[in-house]
Amino acid sequence: MIMGLTGDSKGQLLSQVAELVKEISGLPESRNSCKKMHGNLVRRIKLLSPLFEELRDGNEESMIKIEEIKGFELLKAALDSTKELLQSINGGSKLYRALQMDQIAYKFQEITEAIEAALNEIPYNNLDISEEVQEQIELVHTQFRRAKARPDSPDLQLEHDLAVAQKEKDPDPAVLKRLSDKFHLRTINDLTKESVAFHELVIASGGDPGKRFEEMASLLKKLKDYVLTENPEADTSEGEKGLMKHRSPVIPDDFRCPISLELMKDPVIVSTGQTYERSCIQKWLDAGHKTCPKTQQTLSHTALTPNYVLKSLIALWCESNGIELPKNQGTCRSSASDCDRTAIVALLEKLANGNSEQQRAAAGELRLLAKRNADNRVCIAEAGSIPLLVELLSSTDPRTQEHAVTALLNLSINDSNKGGIVNAGAIPDIVDVLKNGSMEARENAAATLFSLSVIDEYKVAIGAAGAIPALIKLLCEGSPRGKKDAATAIFNLSIFQGNKVRAVRAGIVPPLMRLLKDAGGGMVDEALAILAILASHQEGKVAIGQADPIPVLLEVIRTGSPRNRENAAAILWSLCTGNIEQLKTAKELSAEEALKDLSESGTDRAKRKAGSILELFQRLEVKEDPVSL
């Protein structure tokens, strides 16, 4: 019971919750990839309004009692979090939101669980509300309970379209149209705003947003090209077109170099995150300066990183304002050097028509060139190397085979090359190398399969080609690096349900348990991660349960790293759910103390799993000693 709350305090709490419901109900509709989750959550919260209207309109005697305060306080906290989340996803980059959907969906699920838990603490029967309102609130509660157990299904069409648009160089216009409509990026002005949001992300990341930005920049360019092709004058009326020729648009401050104050042609980022025209900042550095001209901070290094976001933004702005695009925009990233290009052409000739020694040497050179940089990977693939390298996977010369599979591994780092490798029929041949090649070739074949399995549809093809038993064998026999390559490939493949069954039936659990018990072997992290994903499948759960896992899992929960403790708790929870024998075994091994510690000091997921297992222990005690009730 919560003590010491005055009538005024209770009334204030009710008013705050009612205001939050009103504010959330009035939020603008989401116009990005979160639209469905946003709409469902707001719709359910709107249905709470009648409860607070009736409580607010009631007299002093109908105010909530102290015993009922807890539920409303929990609801207020959950609604505060809801408002913050909904406001955050309606701003910023729409493409960034779409590519972060997994994390956002997890936050929505956390909010749903928090609201459901709060509603669970409100005794509707004790409130002085009409029967009609009580029925509606109970209906809302049921909806939240159902949503907690069954989260909103993902937008499969959107996921498919995003994957296609990222993977293919020239996506189907129908795919780009759906994305353009989904994100409301139908005009040059829309795209310019999205580019501005990109730029803000880059600045916030200190100029180093990583691979995620490259995906976003590529998507934006494809959408921009589509919009310009389909509706090049979408934002320009006839009158505006005439005026355009006679006015000089104001250059946005972000587009001007802080040194020259001119429109930037080749913007680059320095270590402080500030952006300058390359030639201007280079002159500053060449003069011996070691500070950032704008902030006067000392530069931690003098490397200049191209600001591709801002360059794209400037190009969009120039096009929408009828201004000639800036020239001298730096060297093209998508082409290899003339020297490498010439070498690549000569090497492919040897691959196609040379004798066995020339083929071996050429494959080795291509392997090194593909490892050197991203431009080479694009050039080598575009020159037609992939089918020739796939043919060499069947070579009887072990060294040639090693070079070929490693060259394909290096090429697969480029996402657009993954499709070319699979379409060339490489998967069965790579699996054959994994089964029968030299140890180096087997390990690099495992790494190649992991790289390809990043694409979901390839997970199915790789599993169907018989890769998993061979990966398990490498997990047992390989070098430390080979074991890690095999483990990461198995983990990635096992995200697909059908591959979990294949892995369990191929006998993966015993070797994983050996790795888990060998703390000095350096594979505990990988073994736990794979076991955690297999435990979510019934066959995996049964197989793990037969391997006497609970003692070692409890040891990890007591002494492991935060992530390992989390995975161990997740496995233990799967084993104990619906299995009273496993639950009794855990209890007999003094699991409660370790789980109570984890529920206080673990990661958020670990705390939830530990709490769930402790609840199972409490239910077990009630069953064993019903008289204690």
Side-chain angles (χ1 to χ4, degrees), residues 40 43-48 50-51 115-116 119 124 129-148:
N40 286 342
R43 174 179 53 78
R44 294 177 190 125
I45 289 172
K46 274 184 181 179
L47 294 173
L48 294 171
L51 170 65
I115 294 176
E116 195 279 330
L119 294 175
Y124 313 119
I129 56 178
S130 66
E131 185 177 333
E132 181 183 351
V133 169
Q134 183 169 330
E135 286 178 357
Q136 179 167 333
I137 299 306
E138 288 175 350
L139 175 63
V140 178
H141 193 177
T142 300
Q143 290 181 1
F144 272 104
R145 193 180 295 117
R146 189 183 302 123
K148 171 185 171 183

Side-chain angles (χ1 to χ4, degrees), residues 575-590:
L575 295 174
C576 291
T577 302
N579 190 320
I580 197 165
E581 294 305 318
Q582 296 284 11
L583 193 61
K584 286 181 178 179
T585 300
K587 189 172 176 60
E588 289 166 2
L589 292 171
S590 305

Side-chain angles (χ1 to χ4, degrees), residues 49-232:
S49 297
L51 170 65
F52 297 100
E53 289 173 5
E54 192 148 323
L55 289 173
R56 183 186 58 202
D57 294 341
N59 55 32
E60 186 65 26
E61 285 73 29
S62 69
M63 290 293 289
I64 56 175
K65 300 180 177 65
I66 290 177
E67 295 88 344
E68 292 136 20
I69 288 293
K70 179 182 178 183
F72 287 98
E73 288 186 329
L74 291 173
L75 185 58
K76 179 183 180 298
L79 292 177
D80 277 327
S81 300
T82 301
K83 179 182 171 184
E84 182 180 343
L85 173 63
L86 295 180
Q87 288 177 330
S88 72
I89 64 171
N90 268 339
S93 165
K94 296 175 180 179
L95 295 182
Y96 182 75
R97 298 290 174 212
L99 294 170
Q100 296 283 91
M101 275 306 295
D102 286 348
Q103 295 93 315
I104 293 173
Y106 179 73
K107 290 179 181 178
F108 268 94
Q109 188 61 18
E110 282 191 321
I111 293 277
T112 297
E113 291 176 4
I115 294 176
E116 195 279 330
L119 294 175
N120 222 28
E121 295 290 335
I122 299 175
Y124 313 119
N125 294 333
N126 297 345
L127 299 177
D128 186 15
I129 56 178
S130 66
E131 185 177 333
E132 181 183 351
V133 169
Q134 183 169 330
E135 286 178 357
Q136 179 167 333
I137 299 306
E138 288 175 350
L139 175 63
V140 178
H141 193 177
T142 300
Q143 290 181 1
F144 272 104
R145 193 180 295 117
R146 189 183 302 123
K148 171 185 171 183
R150 191 171 63 234
D152 287 325
S153 58
D155 187 333
L156 297 178
Q157 182 67 65
L158 175 60
E159 289 184 359
H160 173 267
D161 288 345
L162 281 171
V164 169
Q166 290 177 82
K167 179 174 66 174
E168 296 183 4
K169 188 174 181 181
D170 296 306
D172 186 333
V175 170
L176 294 174
K177 182 180 188 308
R178 285 196 295 270
L179 290 175
S180 175
D181 291 341
K182 173 69 75 173
F183 297 132
H184 293 268
L185 297 174
R186 301 186 180 102
T187 67
I188 292 300
N189 280 348
D190 293 336
L191 290 161
T192 301
K193 290 175 184 176
E194 179 67 13
S195 293
V196 170
F198 273 9
H199 186 218
E200 290 172 352
L201 279 175
V202 174
I203 296 301
S205 70
D208 184 23
K211 182 182 176 185
R212 180 69 73 188
F213 158 67
E214 292 189 9
E215 297 172 355
M216 293 162 59
S218 174
L219 272 174
L220 180 62
K221 184 178 186 308
K222 290 169 185 175
L223 286 169
K224 180 198 76 172
D225 291 344
Y226 166 76
V227 169
L228 286 173
T229 301
E230 294 297 311
N231 197 8

Side-chain angles (χ1 to χ4, degrees), residues 485-518:
D485 286 336
T488 52
I490 292 167
F491 176 85
N492 219 34
L493 291 171
S494 296
I495 293 171
F496 172 62
Q497 283 287 96
N499 287 336
K500 292 177 187 175
V501 177
R502 289 189 175 103
V504 172
R505 294 179 183 176
I508 193 173
V509 171
L512 287 176
M513 292 303 301
R514 288 195 294 272
L515 293 172
L516 183 56
K517 293 172 182 177
D518 180 14

Side-chain angles (χ1 to χ4, degrees), residues 227-254:
V227 169
L228 286 173
T229 301
E230 294 297 311
N231 197 8
E233 298 180 345
D235 279 326
T236 313
S237 69
E238 290 298 324
E240 288 173 331
K241 288 180 215 169
L243 288 171
M244 192 76 77
K245 299 176 183 177
H246 304 290
R247 73 175 185 221
S248 297
V250 177
I251 300 172
D253 288 342
D254 283 343

